[in-house]
Amino acid sequence: QVQLVESGGGSVQAGGSLRLSCAASGYTYSSYCMGWFRQAPGKEREGVAAIGKNGRTSYADSVKGRFTISQDNAKNTLYLQMNSLKPEDTAMYYCAAVFSSSWYSDYVCRQLSHADFNYWGQGTQVTISS
């Protein structure tokens, strides 16, 4: 079965940086979209960034220029480099994935909607203080 395990969360001051990692295993499809989502208490889960097998990326407007999503295919690992962090970035961050056809995976990556992802990690907490 597909498993996603996040790591790298923590507490940092505003303006600082964190790098999140997501290790993937058990997937059976050759094409995919993998993404990062976040959810603060009492708020809806929102898409942060996503990347397809072909390397095409998408970002939420709120993180463009500050966050970078990347992948290491040899290690089956997804990353989210977060720079210039703000208190409003505080949330539980989740790794998510869809393993499907090329066209559907690309569609999911572009939409960046949590409802389209069917595999999820356990989450890692990110807390940014002022």
Side-chain angles (χ1 to χ4, degrees), residues 20-73:
L20 306 183
S21 299
C22 173
S25 63
Y27 48 89
T28 58
Y29 295 94
S30 60
S31 298
Y32 61 81
C33 175
M34 296 191 71
W36 290 97
F37 294 79
R38 65 187 183 187
Q39 187 168 25
K43 292 194 172 184
E44 183 178 319
R45 189 169 301 186
E46 63 175 347
V48 176
I51 187 168
K53 183 180 180 180
N54 60 5
R56 187 181 301 275
T57 60
S58 60
Y59 295 92
D61 289 341
S62 60
V63 306
K64 285 181 179 178
R66 300 190 297 121
F67 292 9
T68 302
I69 189 170
S70 62
Q71 60 191 341
D72 185 338
N73 290 330

Side-chain angles (χ1 to χ4, degrees), residues 101-117:
S101 64
S102 295
W103 69 266
Y104 184 69
S105 298
D106 183 66
Y107 169 80
V108 167
C109 272
R110 286 185 280 108
Q111 294 301 117
L112 202 52
S113 173
H114 69 87
D116 294 327
F117 290 76

Side-chain angles (χ1 to χ4, degrees), residues 6-12 18 20 39-41 82 89-94 122-128:
E6 303 98 330
S7 62
S11 299
V12 297
L18 282 173
L20 306 183
Q39 187 168 25
M82 305 186 293
D89 294 319
T90 295
M92 183 73 76
Y93 282 70
Y94 297 91
Q122 82 287 351
T124 185
Q125 179 67 39
V126 171
T127 302
I128 313 303

